[in-house]
Structure formats: structure tokens, C-alpha cells
Amino acid sequence: MQVRGLFDKGAYSELDALAAQVRSQKLRFKGGAWRLCVLYRTLGTPGSLTATDAEWQNRIAKVEQWIEASPTSPTPRVALAHTYIRFAWKARGNGYSNTVTQEGWKLFGQRIQSARTVLEDAAKTSGRDAHWYREMQTVALAQGWNRTEMDALTSEALANEPGYYYFAVAEANYLLPKWHGQPGDTERFAEQVADRAGAAEGDTVYFQIAAETNCCRHTQAPALSWPRVRQGFSALDQLYGSTNHERNAMAYLALRAGDSETAQQLFARIGNDWDESVWRTKALFDASRTGQIVGNTRPLRADGKAPTPDPSND
């Protein structure tokens, strides 16, 4: 999709038509990613989270021009909400909450509220597409909506588009103990939502939740069923074909689960095409693939703990 090119030249009617097509036909990429979600993520930033505030403001102004040109289309409004959300996270940063400045929190809150206002306006004026709900779930997490409110939003989202697995991933994340849940909440929800989706598609949702929560830093939902995660990856592979990122993530999860056989099968498929977003360093990938210390990096361990340097190499 030449989404960015169409946006940059102001071809808004073509963008609206493209979004309507991927929305109505429920088109997906290899690996199962929905093209609608990728479209919004492509439009959501001025190219980088590190862009200047002026560049972000210019981006927002241009999306507002799109809204003026397409007042009945939900697409530019959802795109604008996504932009405000990413702009909010730029102000907050990705560190722990105690590292965020007072000004950072202020801007974060203002920009998240701007996203919510845009989404609420979209619901009144141009309707809701599937991704509208996904952006509102992020608003709910950022604003600390209570469990009842979040559950209701997710239930409505899944009723709107049951196959849009991003809804389930967002709720599973919300239910982690670090946010608004208790130990075991994410695991129970994952089982319920996968069972509700049913068959192979439900298993793929279970895998997507596991990949999001347990890869690729810390194991946040330790009680997820490893046999079902494995089954979910297999289902995804058969239904949509897996991407290299998903194969790397599955190898990581397999090692965390102590399933070296599955991990080695995946490493054979991956070859040397390691994914930095999963392994962080080539040394960790090589150590984990071979089971040998590489430099001062130990292989990934099955106990959920981060790999530690070899003290003999210090």
C-alpha cells in the first residue's frame, strides 16, 4: 500500500477508497496482520517518534485538512487520534513512570484527551471502524479506566469485528499486574477469548497474546499454556504463513518454555535472519541458538529471567 505517498500528496479521496477496501474486504498481510491496522500505523507519525514537536504539529494540521476534505469518513479521524496518541507517548517517553517529568505527564494527559475527543467526535459524525475501538482501548489504558469500562469497550469491539485480534491483545495487556489486573487475569482472559473465537483462529489469537506479553523482555503472563501457544503458532503458520519476526518470537518463547526441540526447529527456519526487536543483540541470538556462551552473553534461559553475563569473562 502506498499509504504514505498518497497522504503526502494530499490524495485524500484515494486514501479513503483504499481504507474502505481493506476495511470491507478484511484484508491481511502474511502473518495475519490486518492491513487496516498497518494503514493507521503508517499514517500515525511524521516518520519517527523523535521528530520535532513542530513536525508533529504539521502532521496533525495535515490530517485535519483531510478531515475537512472527507467529513463523513471515519478514516482521517481515527488517523488523527492515533497521531495524538503517539505524540502523547513522545512526551512521556518509554521509561518507568518515575522517570517522566511533570511537564511530560502534563503533555501526555492533554494529548491522550485530544485523542479521546477526536474518537468521540468520530463516533458521532462518521461512525466507527474496527480500529476506532483499538485506539480507544489505548486511551482507556492511558487514562486508567476501570475494569468494567474496559471490559465493556473490548466486548463491543469484539462484537464489531471478532477477528481483529488487536482487541484481545490490548485487553490482555490491560489485565497484566503492572497495569490494572491481578496475577492470572491475563491468562484467564486469553483462554476465554481464544475459546470464544474458536478453532484455529482462536488459537492464533492465543499466540498473539503470548507474543505480546511474554516476548521479548520479561515473562509477564507465566501461566499461559505452552501447548496452546505452540498450537497457536502452528495455526497461524497454516492460515496466514508466519513472518520472520513471528518465527523469531516463537523461538524466544519456546526457549522460555524450556521447549528446545521446538526452538531448534524454528532456528533451522530462521537461519541467520535474526530479529533485533526480539533478541536485542546478535550475541544473545547466537548464544540462544547454539546453547553456548558468546562473548559474555549466556543463552536465554527457561526460568523467565533475563540472561546474565558470564562472570568469568568480566
Side-chain angles (χ1 to χ4, degrees):
M1 294 187 297
Q2 299 300 317
V3 173
R4 192 174 294 278
L6 291 173
F7 178 81
D8 289 344
K9 69 180 183 180
Y12 301 133
S13 61
E14 293 179 58
L15 268 177
D16 286 325
L18 178 60
Q21 178 188 20
V22 300
R23 186 183 297 119
S24 64
Q25 296 181 15
K26 304 182 180 182
L27 299 176
R28 298 199 189 196
F29 288 108
K30 181 178 181 179
W34 284 63
R35 294 189 179 223
L36 183 65
C37 179
V38 175
L39 181 148
Y40 282 121
R41 289 179 177 176
T42 301
L43 292 170
T45 70
S48 170
L49 286 177
T50 60
T52 66
D53 281 7
E55 290 174 305
W56 281 92
Q57 294 292 357
N58 287 339
R59 185 77 172 190
I60 288 169
K62 189 168 177 63
V63 181
E64 288 174 338
Q65 292 175 2
W66 182 8
I67 292 174
E68 291 180 7
S70 306
T72 62
S73 171
T75 310
R77 287 179 167 82
V78 176
L80 181 58
H82 185 70
T83 302
Y84 271 124
I85 288 170
R86 301 311 300 150
F87 196 23
W89 245 269
K90 177 181 183 292
R92 185 201 179 282
N94 293 321
Y96 291 109
S97 60
N98 61 3
T99 68
V100 184
T101 65
Q102 185 175 356
E103 179 66 12
W105 279 124
K106 178 182 177 182
L107 291 172
F108 178 78
Q110 290 173 345
R111 292 167 185 173
I112 290 293
Q113 182 57 45
S114 292
R116 180 174 182 173
T117 300
V118 168
L119 290 169
E120 289 173 342
D121 181 60
K124 297 173 185 175
T125 60
S126 55
R128 311 176 187 188
D129 73 359
H131 205 73
W132 182 98
Y133 291 97
R134 180 61 191 88
E135 298 299 341
M136 191 61 93
Q137 285 179 308
T138 302
V139 169
L141 178 68
Q143 292 188 335
W145 291 19
N146 65 42
R147 175 76 183 271
T148 300
E149 293 170 322
M150 183 63 166
D151 285 354
L153 176 63
T154 300
S155 294
E156 185 178 341
L158 288 167
N160 176 276
E161 182 48 77
Y164 209 67
Y165 65 84
Y166 308 97
F167 301 147
V169 170
E171 174 89 357
N173 180 58
Y174 172 93
L175 291 173
L176 289 171
K178 71 176 183 180
W179 293 116
H180 304 289
Q182 300 296 321
D185 284 350
T186 290
E187 291 91 334
R188 283 187 289 273
F189 170 76
E191 182 177 11
Q192 292 166 2
V193 75
D195 287 348
R196 195 178 308 130
E201 194 64 53
D203 290 333
T204 69
V205 172
Y206 200 91
F207 165 74
Q208 295 289 3
I209 290 172
E212 180 69 22
T213 57
N214 290 346
C215 182
C216 299
R217 298 295 184 270
H218 304 290
T219 300
Q220 302 179 93
L224 284 173
S225 164
W226 173 243
R228 191 158 195 184
V229 173
R230 190 172 52 207
Q231 185 173 319
F233 176 80
S234 178
L236 182 144
D237 218 5
Q238 293 175 21
L239 288 173
Y240 306 110
S242 60
T243 64
N244 183 60
H245 171 78
E246 288 162 335
R247 291 189 288 272
N248 274 266
M250 185 58 180
Y252 185 105
L253 292 171
L255 289 175
R256 281 289 195 233
D259 186 347
S260 59
E261 180 180 354
T262 295
Q264 288 305 317
Q265 291 171 358
L266 288 156
F267 282 128
R269 296 176 64 184
I270 293 165
N272 204 41
D273 196 7
W274 70 288
D275 189 311
E276 185 176 1
S277 68
V278 173
W279 303 100
R280 304 190 301 283
T281 67
K282 180 67 158 52
L284 179 59
F285 171 76
D286 286 337
S288 300
R289 178 168 56 90
T290 63
Q292 304 294 320
I293 295 171
V294 174
N296 68 342
T297 301
R298 294 182 183 276
L300 199 67
R301 299 189 299 188
D303 58 7
K305 296 179 180 178
T308 56
D310 178 13
S312 66
N313 288 303
D314 288 347

